[in-house]
Amino acid sequence: MRVLILLILASLFFLSLPFTVQAQEYDLLIDNGHVMDPKNGMDQVMDVAVADGVIARVAESIPASSAQRVIDATGLYVTPGLVDIHGHHFYGTEEDPVAYAGGFWAIPPDGFTLRTGVTTIVDLGGAGWKRFRLFKENVIDRSTTRVLSFINIVGAGMQKEEVEQNLNDMDPKMTALRARQFPDLIVGVKLAHYQGHEWEPVDRVVEAGEMAGLPVMIDFGQADPPLSLETLLMEKLRPGDMFTHLYADTRGREPIVDENGRVKEFMWAARDRGVLFDVGHGGGSFVWHQMVPAMEQDFWPDFIGTDLHRSSMNGGMKDMTHLISKFLNVGMPLYDAIDRSSWQPARAIGREDLGHLSEGAGADLAIFRLREGEFGYMDSRRRALHGNLRLQNELTLRDGQVVWDLNAIASPVWERE
């Protein structure tokens, strides 16, 4: 009897203890992928857990039972969501068919970014101060892709050539004012396509950058004969300012590689003083005879920006993963390519909340497969270079939500009833 009473008392004691069910801690677990996170120096197989739209944990082994959904990333590369520093996305129905400010050459971002692992894209100068609010309402606010902006020094933005030649519409004060009104969206100031021989447009864009506390990016060179590239890089631009279309060889702009195949000395000096360089491939601004010798001499870009627009995506550039693949096939390691497509551009535009997988950061993330085989790549003159590597995006997360899943690796398997 005494034993029975003790058993009853013990049972009552244990029943009185708090009883909890172990809830699943994470919304999503990416299991056994090779994590490349250059900001944090990570380059190894790790697990990544996501909860409430942020990176909750990165560790060597996270139990699958702790997550509601598990993605097997064995053999794949897990990276931050890519940051494309150069695109054209102020799309619309302007009469001018070549306009990047509300025209047909700009493209909606979501159809051409998320599928390549790009979760943040910077519209490079489509909108000036006069039409930035329209760009925000029609594109930025309606896109799943995070869309940021280099505001154009021309108030009307990137329209027909004569608009971009209008010195009277290059207003540093109004440009800086608009940038200060939208500090979370406007991350720089842009000048492009000026054909004159005076330096006034460059001086005005730098003045706007000074007033707004922002970097500038220059699409330089439509003057004939060309203005001095050395003067631009060594005297006009500031440390942290940017030069795009690095590997171009076009009329009106001096190329960076000389006739003997050597990178010009002032390019190294400009890099030493802190000027930054963007690929800016585009439809006509990337040729093998500039890119390959420059890469062989270790003059690598700071950013792998696409210059994504209607023409470039159907030409030699195609998309971000295709462009990164070009660099892989001339000797750039994947880790360095991811760095130049995520953390480095994020730093340069003052958005250090982006481009990495730190715990607590927003869960913008991409999963890639590096394929081996026989592949061909074109430059802007449609000349081929063949290689054996191609990067392919398998899955993209934006704020923890699956927004692209090429092979349904994040979905449960359908079973016939």
Side-chain angles (χ1 to χ4, degrees):
M1 186 68 179
R2 180 178 295 179
V3 173
L4 179 61
I5 292 172
L6 289 173
L7 288 173
I8 293 171
L9 290 173
S11 298
L12 291 172
F13 172 76
F14 284 112
L15 287 172
S16 69
L17 294 176
F19 179 72
T20 59
V21 176
Q22 181 65 44
Q24 289 172 311
E25 189 175 357
Y26 308 118
D27 301 324
L28 179 67
L29 175 65
I30 299 170
D31 182 56
N32 204 42
H34 187 132
V35 174
M36 286 186 169
D37 180 8
K39 191 250 183 188
N40 293 303
M42 192 172 295
D43 185 12
Q44 64 189 88
V45 174
M46 300 284 277
D47 294 347
V48 179
V50 173
D52 299 322
V54 303
I55 304 296
R57 190 180 175 203
V58 181
E60 290 187 5
S61 181
I62 301 174
S65 60
S66 65
Q68 297 177 25
R69 180 166 44 163
V70 178
I71 296 173
D72 182 6
T74 302
L76 304 177
Y77 292 92
V78 181
T79 79
L82 303 186
V83 178
D84 186 350
I85 202 168
H86 192 153
H88 294 286
H89 302 286
F90 187 7
Y91 65 95
T93 55
E94 291 287 340
E95 291 182 2
D96 180 8
V98 299
Y100 292 107
F104 294 110
W105 273 28
I107 57 175
D110 289 350
F112 308 96
T113 50
L114 303 172
R115 64 180 54 227
T116 66
V118 173
T119 54
T120 299
I121 194 157
V122 183
D123 182 84
L124 204 64
W129 71 268
K130 293 177 180 177
R131 303 184 72 198
F132 181 80
R133 290 183 184 275
L134 179 64
F135 174 49
K136 177 180 181 299
E137 292 167 5
N138 285 1
V139 179
I140 296 175
D141 295 347
R142 298 173 185 269
S143 299
T144 298
T145 310
R146 181 185 294 102
V147 181
L148 305 175
S149 172
F150 269 64
I151 191 169
N152 204 308
I153 188 61
V154 179
M158 289 182 74
Q159 296 191 43
K160 58 188 68 177
E161 285 188 356
E162 56 265 33
V163 173
E164 295 182 297
Q165 310 311 308
N166 187 359
L167 274 169
N168 293 326
D169 200 24
M170 299 181 187
D171 189 329
K173 180 179 178 180
M174 293 305 298
T175 301
L177 175 64
R178 188 67 81 223
R180 290 194 296 266
Q181 288 175 337
F182 296 97
D184 294 335
L185 299 176
I186 297 175
V187 295
V189 190
K190 167 78 177 297
L191 171 69
H193 304 158
Y194 190 70
Q195 297 176 8
H197 284 89
E198 61 270 53
W199 288 100
E200 184 68 18
V202 173
D203 294 338
R204 291 193 188 188
V205 75
V206 171
E207 181 183 354
E210 291 277 4
M211 295 172 69
L214 294 173
V216 307
M217 187 179 286
I218 306 293
D219 175 350
F220 186 68
Q222 290 200 357
D224 192 11
L227 287 170
S228 168
L229 184 56
E230 182 175 7
T231 298
L232 174 74
L233 300 178
M234 296 300 295
E235 300 178 21
K236 297 296 183 178
L237 298 186
R238 307 161 296 166
D241 287 341
M242 308 171 200
F243 175 76
T244 190
H245 304 315
L246 179 60
Y247 301 121
D249 187 3
T250 60
R251 182 183 62 83
R253 203 208 83 181
E254 179 183 356
I256 70 164
V257 173
D258 66 22
E259 59 276 8
N260 297 313
R262 303 300 301 172
V263 174
K264 295 176 180 177
E265 289 300 322
F266 66 79
M267 294 297 297
W268 302 100
R271 167 155 283 170
D272 288 343
R273 67 183 293 266
V275 176
L276 302 173
F277 298 98
D278 168 46
V279 173
H281 186 304
S285 300
F286 182 98
V287 289
W288 297 124
H289 67 264
Q290 292 289 306
M291 182 265 207
V292 173
M295 289 292 295
E296 290 173 345
Q297 293 164 66
D298 293 332
F299 201 93
W300 292 8
D302 294 290
F303 325 118
I304 301 179
T306 59
D307 188 10
L308 176 62
H309 53 75
R310 190 182 71 178
S311 174
S312 67
M313 71 184 187
N314 291 315
M317 191 280 293
K318 294 182 174 58
D319 59 34
M320 176 63 98
T321 50
H322 196 86
L323 178 53
I324 290 174
S325 298
K326 291 184 177 183
F327 285 88
L328 302 182
N329 282 286
V330 296
M332 181 180 285
L334 179 59
Y335 182 90
D336 294 285
I338 296 300
D339 187 28
R340 286 159 172 78
S341 308
S342 57
W343 176 234
Q344 294 308 322
R347 287 180 61 201
I349 61 175
R351 290 299 302 265
E352 296 190 5
D353 56 316
L354 306 176
H356 55 86
L357 299 177
S358 304
E359 293 182 6
D364 286 4
L365 178 151
I367 301 178
F368 294 104
R369 183 184 307 278
L370 186 59
R371 297 172 55 197
E372 296 185 3
E374 295 182 4
F375 306 105
Y377 301 93
M378 293 189 302
D379 68 2
S380 295
R381 298 183 183 179
R382 294 187 175 271
R383 298 174 301 181
L385 182 148
H386 294 279
N388 61 359
L389 297 174
R390 177 161 290 175
L391 194 65
Q392 174 181 291
N393 183 40
E394 289 286 341
L395 181 137
T396 306
L397 296 185
R398 173 77 169 91
D399 282 339
Q401 300 299 311
V402 176
V403 292
W404 171 258
D405 187 358
L406 179 64
N407 286 300
I409 61 175
S411 300
V413 176
W414 174 74
E415 296 180 2
R416 187 182 298 273
E417 295 180 358

